[in-house]
Amino acid sequence: MNKSLLLILASFTAGAFAAPISFDFKDPKGVNTIQFKLDAPLEQIAGTTNGISGTVTFDPAAPEATAGTILVDAKSLTVPNKMMSEHIQGERWLDTAKNDKITFELAGLSDVKASGANYTATAKGKLTLKGVTKEISVPVKLSYLEGAFGQRINKPELKGDLLVVRGNFTVLRTDFGINPGNMEDKVSNEISLSLALAGGAPQS
């Protein structure tokens, strides 16, 4: 058996038995963030949330099968104006007393294009916000960083991989019953979201 055929068989065997890797998005550094912006005619509201957790499974040999759930602590959404932050948490807006989690259930990726360790794709799944669930599609960029887990948390002796996810998309507050049709001169109906998240898969 020649060398080339052996390499092909070895590659096929490795791919056939590779298992998806589970990445934890509860960031030990606390720097995972989702930014949100509402740009209305009279005011722009911009804020962040870092209360992010969840697990995503990813297989670099089959990225289209990526799946999992990202959770956001709705009470962690803040804007610079303290009173405005309190209003956001209130009953007319997010009503976080009753809806303390925002969730995105990822069902898979489509239109996947790979360039080395980097991927572009469309993430498809269900977004639940203020108790309302909608099917959405989000353009994302993924970077699978093999062996980079310890480097990110400044402990290079620790082994493991990273999955970095970035994306920008828009949802409508009317779709999720967030005080629909009211105050649109100051609070835009469009909510622009920008995410930059890193999930870790430490190895024992």
Side-chain angles (χ1 to χ4, degrees), residues 20-25 52-59 62-72 102-109 122-128 133 135-136 138 142 163 165 197 199:
I21 304 166
S22 181
F23 291 88
D24 184 356
F25 279 81
I52 298 161
S53 60
T55 303
V56 171
T57 57
F58 174 81
D59 183 348
E64 64 282 349
T66 301
T69 301
I70 297 294
L71 302 106
V72 176
I102 300 167
T103 65
F104 178 61
E105 298 176 61
L106 173 61
L109 303 179
T122 299
K124 296 187 175 183
K126 295 179 180 179
L127 176 66
T128 300
T133 301
E135 297 269 1
I136 66 167
V138 179
L142 289 79
L163 181 67
V165 182
L197 312 176

Side-chain angles (χ1 to χ4, degrees), residues 20-37:
I21 304 166
S22 181
F23 291 88
D24 184 356
F25 279 81
K26 187 172 178 59
D27 183 13
K29 293 185 72 173
V31 297
N32 274 355
T33 58
I34 297 175
Q35 299 177 330
F36 60 92
K37 183 173 70 174

Side-chain angles (χ1 to χ4, degrees), residues 53-100:
S53 60
T55 303
V56 171
T57 57
F58 174 81
D59 183 348
E64 64 282 349
T66 301
T69 301
I70 297 294
L71 302 106
V72 176
D73 178 359
K75 294 182 179 180
S76 73
L77 274 72
T78 60
V79 298
N81 183 295
K82 183 179 179 180
M83 183 177 292
M84 194 176 288
S85 289
E86 292 172 355
H87 288 168
I88 287 172
Q89 307 291 336
E91 184 177 354
R92 287 199 302 165
W93 298 96
L94 294 181
D95 196 7
T96 59
K98 295 180 180 177
N99 305 283
D100 62 344

Side-chain angles (χ1 to χ4, degrees), residues 10 27 45 68 72 88 93 105 108 111 113 146 157 170 174 176:
D27 183 13
I45 301 170
V72 176
I88 287 172
W93 298 96
E105 298 176 61
D111 305 317
K113 294 180 176 62
E146 191 172 2
E157 70 278 8
T170 300
T174 48
F176 295 92

